[in-house]
Amino acid sequence: MWPKSVALRKSAPIFAALGDETRLRLIALLCAGGALSISQLTAGSDITRQAVTKHLQVLADAGLVCDIKQGRERLWEFEPTQLDEARRSLDTIAQQWDQALSKLKSALER
Amino acid sequence: MWPKSVALRKSAPIFAALGDETRLRLIALLCAGGALSISQLTAGSDITRQAVTKHLQVLADAGLVCDIKQGRERLWEFEPTQLDEARRSLDTIAQQWDQALSKLKSALER
DNA sequence: CCATTGTGCAACTAAAAGGTTGCATTAACG
DNA sequence: CGTTAATGCAACCTTTTAGTTGCACAATGG
């Protein structure tokens, strides 16, 4: 009855990481601005540096960003691979839905 | 510094709703099997009916499913509109990333 | 060398999430 | 009309999450 798809288990953590406004903002910043340090990412926000650090860690665990140590700074940059994984997952769902719809339609027609 | 985009605030709850394996499974079931009752969705799972109900409520709050009362049953079905919203959101991010990359590339070339 | 800047680490708190149990309610059915 | 199946509602519990504060530590720049 219940699907135990591996793809679902893989993509759920990615969606969970994306499911926070603050993290989506961080991703948007890193997409536009290239590699940024924690301080830079914190500047202008209304949360503390440590909160930003935690969010970055969540994104890193999901494979959406990666960090490069450079001197005393730690630069973060966007990593598009897992985002593509999420996109494929959504496409698959939409595809199955379309398929179910067309099956239903053809069943109604006969 | 921080983008206060409305699109981000809209799509974050959708991703959050998708960010749970159980809920992704529910969506997969509803995609394939059309409208299903709570009991049907619970059968074969390892959590209680009430837990399933809560997950369905989360999905409904995100606009990913809707319910139809029919007799003593409550049938749930997939609602693809918000999923498309999520897909557009991911596409936008990927697009901004590509754009940033090409800008960087052309800046390096000159 | 000393002040400053950028981070890391740990403890702590408040709230939300995921799940359960128990009981009431509603509708179908012989 | 009584039983049974499908749900709803509410209280409760445990773990996670989002955020904070405080302090230690490393690198940089006069």
Side-chain angles (χ1 to χ4, degrees), chain B residues 68-85:
Chain B
I68 316 133
K69 290 282 287 275
Q70 183 172 305
R72 66 177 164 181
E73 288 186 331
R74 187 172 169 193
L75 299 182
W76 292 85
E77 62 181 10
F78 178 59
E79 227 279 276
T81 315
Q82 293 305 100
L83 197 82
D84 287 341
E85 177 76 27

Side-chain angles (χ1 to χ4, degrees), chain A residues 11-32:
Chain A
S11 43
I14 305 176
F15 287 129
L18 294 172
D20 182 282
E21 202 187 330
T22 304
R23 287 195 287 268
L24 282 183
R25 283 181 185 167
L26 286 173
I27 288 182
L29 284 175
L30 293 179
C31 268

